[in-house]
Amino acid sequence: MGDLNLKENGVSINPKRGPVLRAEAAARLRKRQKGICAVPGCGRPLPSVDRWTTSPSGDLVGLVCYGCSLVSMNRRMDDANWRLLWRNPPAAALQILPLRARYWKSPWSQGAPDPKADLGADPALDPPRAWSYAGTPVEVLYELQERRCAICLFPLVLRPARNGYFAQVHVDHHYVWTDETWVPEIRGILCARCNTNLGRTSLHEHWWGSVLPRRQAYLESPPAQCWEATRSLVYGRGRPPATFRDWSEAAKEAAIQALLEVAGQDQEKIVVAGDRRWFDWYYAGTAVHALLVEQAGRCAVSGEDLNPPRRSGGSPTVSAATLDHAGPDRRKGPLRGLITPTWNGRLREGGSKWTLHEDAQPYLAAPPGQRSPHTRGLCYSEASSAWLSPVARPRADGLTQAQVAEAVREARAQAARWRPDLWGGATA
C-alpha cells in the first residue's frame, strides 16, 4: 500500500517518521508481530478485532489475543512473560496518537495572533458584570494576562452561552495538598482548546506545536502565582457556591422581579415568587424557580405544598421540592416537573403511566415542565445553570471596575515572581 500520508489540522503525518493513528499503528504491529499475540510464550493468533494491552503506567505495549486481554493486572505483574513484554514492547518505536486525535484542533489552526495588539482597547473583550468571576481577583488575573489565553495567546472573548456560562473562557486549576486537605489552586485563564488538551500527555509536539515551550512554562510557573494580587487563588471561591446562600440583596430583588413577571396576576403565585426561603435552594433564580412559581409552589402530582429542601434545621424533607425528569439519563432527560420525594420515588420505580396511581397519569401525559415556556426542552443537566435572567444570577459583591484597574496597575508595577519574560507583562 505504500506510505500513508495523513493530514490533520494542517500537519502532515508520515507513519514511518512521525505520529500515527491507532488503526494504522495496529496494522503495522500485526505485521511486526506476524499475527501472533505479543505476550512471550503465548503463540496464539490475534483476533480480527484489535485488542491493545498497556503497561502498568498506561502506555500502549502491543496487540494480544482474546485470552490474554482478559488477564487481570495483578496476575500480569506476577507473570515473568508479561514483565518481559513490558521491558521490550513491540509498540515502543511508534508514536501513537490518542483516540479521536483526528478531531483535535491545534491552538494555531486559526493562525497565530498578533502578540503586540492592544486588546484592552477592544470593548468586545471587556468582561461583563454577569461573568461569575467579575469583581474578583480572577478578573484581575484576566487583565494581567492581557485578555489572552496564557498558552496560545488567543484573545479570550466572554460570549455568554445559552445557560448563562461563558464556555469560551476556562479558569484552569490543579489540586495542591496543604496540611490536611487538597486545595483547588487556580493556575491561569485559558481558552477552551488549551484547557481541554492540557491533560493529554500523548504527543505534545503534535498538537501544541510551537506553543509547547509556553505550555511547559505554564505548568512550571503558573501565571496566577506570579503576582501577589492573584497568588493562592482557589477555584470556586469568589463566586457563589452551589447552594447560593450568599445571594446579594440586589441579585435577590432582580430575581424576584423576574419571578413576579412569571406570576402575573395570580395571587398564590405572587406569594411563591416573593418567598425568600427559596433563595437557599439549589435551583434559585433559574428556570426551575420559574416553574415552581407556575406550579404555585405545589406538587405537580398530588397538589400538596412544596418547601425548600432541608438545610440544617429547615423544613422536613417529606415535602421538599424535587425536580423530576424523564428517562434514566441525567444528562439528556427532559424536565417534567417539581414533585415531592415520595412521588419521585414511585416514578423512579419504573411503573408505566397506566400502572401507576390515577393521580400520576395526567402528570405523565402532559408534564408541566414541557408546557412551561421557561423549561420546555431543557435537559436535567442544564437545570441548575439555566438562569431566568442574566442580572438575576448571583454574584458576590466584589471589586468595582475602577478597583480592578487599580489592582492591575499595582501588580504590573511589581516584578513578576517567576518567568518575567512570559507573565511579567510581556506576552510576546
Side-chain angles (χ1 to χ4, degrees):
M1 185 173 64
D3 291 350
L4 177 63
N5 290 313
L6 304 177
K7 202 165 187 178
E8 298 185 7
N9 304 316
V11 179
S12 296
I13 302 173
N14 191 312
K16 291 188 176 181
R17 292 181 298 178
V20 295
L21 297 173
R22 185 171 294 194
E24 176 64 17
R28 295 181 60 189
L29 281 178
R30 282 180 175 273
K31 295 181 180 180
R32 184 178 299 177
Q33 297 177 200
K34 299 181 180 180
I36 302 299
C37 176
V39 179
C42 177
R44 283 177 287 193
L46 294 173
S48 57
V49 178
D50 297 333
R51 292 189 174 272
W52 287 90
T53 183
T54 59
S55 64
S57 61
D59 298 326
L60 293 176
V61 172
L63 300 175
V64 295
C65 64
Y66 179 77
C68 290
S69 68
L70 302 179
V71 178
S72 65
M73 182 58 69
N74 290 335
R75 289 181 55 189
R76 295 180 187 184
M77 297 180 73
D78 295 334
D79 193 324
N81 289 329
W82 281 95
R83 295 197 297 270
L84 178 60
L85 171 63
W86 296 335
R87 287 195 297 268
N88 302 283
L94 293 176
Q95 289 182 302
I96 305 174
L97 291 167
L99 291 175
R100 298 183 63 84
R102 65 170 68 248
Y103 303 107
W104 290 6
K105 291 184 178 180
S106 168
W108 296 97
S109 60
Q110 299 178 2
D114 181 7
K116 298 181 180 180
D118 182 14
L119 304 182
D122 188 354
L125 302 176
D126 290 341
R129 295 296 95 188
W131 187 31
S132 57
Y133 288 105
T136 70
V138 177
E139 183 180 353
V140 177
L141 177 62
Y142 174 78
E143 297 292 344
L144 288 172
Q145 290 184 199
E146 300 184 1
R147 303 180 179 184
R148 297 179 182 273
C149 172
I151 296 180
C152 70
L153 303 181
F154 265 94
L156 297 175
V157 182
L158 289 139
R159 296 192 184 96
R162 174 189 174 188
N163 57 8
Y165 283 92
F166 297 84
Q168 292 83 359
V169 178
H170 288 210
V171 179
D172 175 50
H173 69 282
H174 66 147
Y175 283 86
V176 178
W177 178 262
T178 57
D179 298 332
E180 299 179 353
T181 185
W182 290 95
V183 175
E185 186 179 82
I186 292 177
R187 293 189 291 196
I189 302 178
L190 304 175
C191 65
R193 295 171 301 168
C194 288
N195 187 64
T196 301
N197 290 287
L198 192 61
R200 289 173 170 159
T201 57
S202 301
L203 299 173
H204 296 154
E205 296 83 355
H206 167 64
W207 193 84
W208 296 102
S210 58
V211 299
L212 180 61
R214 291 189 63 87
R215 177 192 180 276
Q216 301 300 333
Y218 175 82
L219 296 177
E220 296 170 1
S221 306
Q225 305 302 315
C226 295
W227 293 283
E228 188 65 33
T230 59
R231 199 166 300 152
S232 301
L233 280 176
V234 177
Y235 183 76
R237 298 180 187 174
R239 64 177 182 175
T243 55
F244 304 137
R245 295 188 183 186
D246 299 328
W247 277 63
S248 66
E249 286 300 318
K252 287 183 181 179
E253 290 298 334
I256 289 175
Q257 290 301 320
L259 294 171
L260 288 174
E261 294 180 4
V262 175
Q265 302 298 323
D266 193 315
Q267 189 61 37
E268 292 185 352
K269 295 181 180 179
I270 292 175
V271 172
V272 176
D275 191 346
R276 290 174 174 261
R277 295 180 306 155
W278 291 97
F279 284 95
D280 190 35
W281 189 31
Y282 182 71
Y283 296 107
T286 65
V288 179
H289 201 159
L291 178 62
L292 175 77
V293 174
E294 291 175 334
Q295 294 182 199
R298 296 194 182 98
C299 173
V301 179
S302 63
E304 60 186 295
D305 291 337
L306 297 174
N307 287 292
R310 182 173 59 187
R311 308 289 184 208
S312 58
S315 59
T317 57
V318 66
S319 61
T322 303
L323 183 60
D324 176 44
H325 65 281
D329 190 348
R330 290 194 171 192
R331 293 174 58 89
K332 300 179 181 179
L335 307 186
R336 290 195 292 201
L338 290 165
I339 57 179
T340 61
T342 302
W343 272 109
N344 187 60
R346 292 178 184 176
L347 298 178
R348 290 291 140 212
E349 290 175 357
S352 67
K353 64 180 181 180
W354 309 116
T355 59
L356 286 170
H357 192 273
E358 59 181 7
D359 291 345
Q361 294 182 15
Y363 167 75
L364 295 175
Q370 296 305 307
R371 300 198 307 267
S372 169
H374 301 93
T375 58
R376 186 184 301 120
L378 191 64
C379 295
Y380 182 79
S381 62
E382 302 172 339
S384 61
S385 56
W387 301 103
L388 184 60
S389 171
V391 296
R393 182 176 184 172
R395 182 175 63 84
D397 294 331
L399 305 175
T400 64
Q401 289 180 318
Q403 291 172 329
V404 170
E406 180 62 26
V408 171
R409 283 193 295 268
E410 292 179 357
R412 285 177 176 167
Q414 301 172 358
R417 184 178 178 185
W418 295 300
R419 299 304 300 262
D421 57 324
L422 294 175
W423 322 127
T427 56

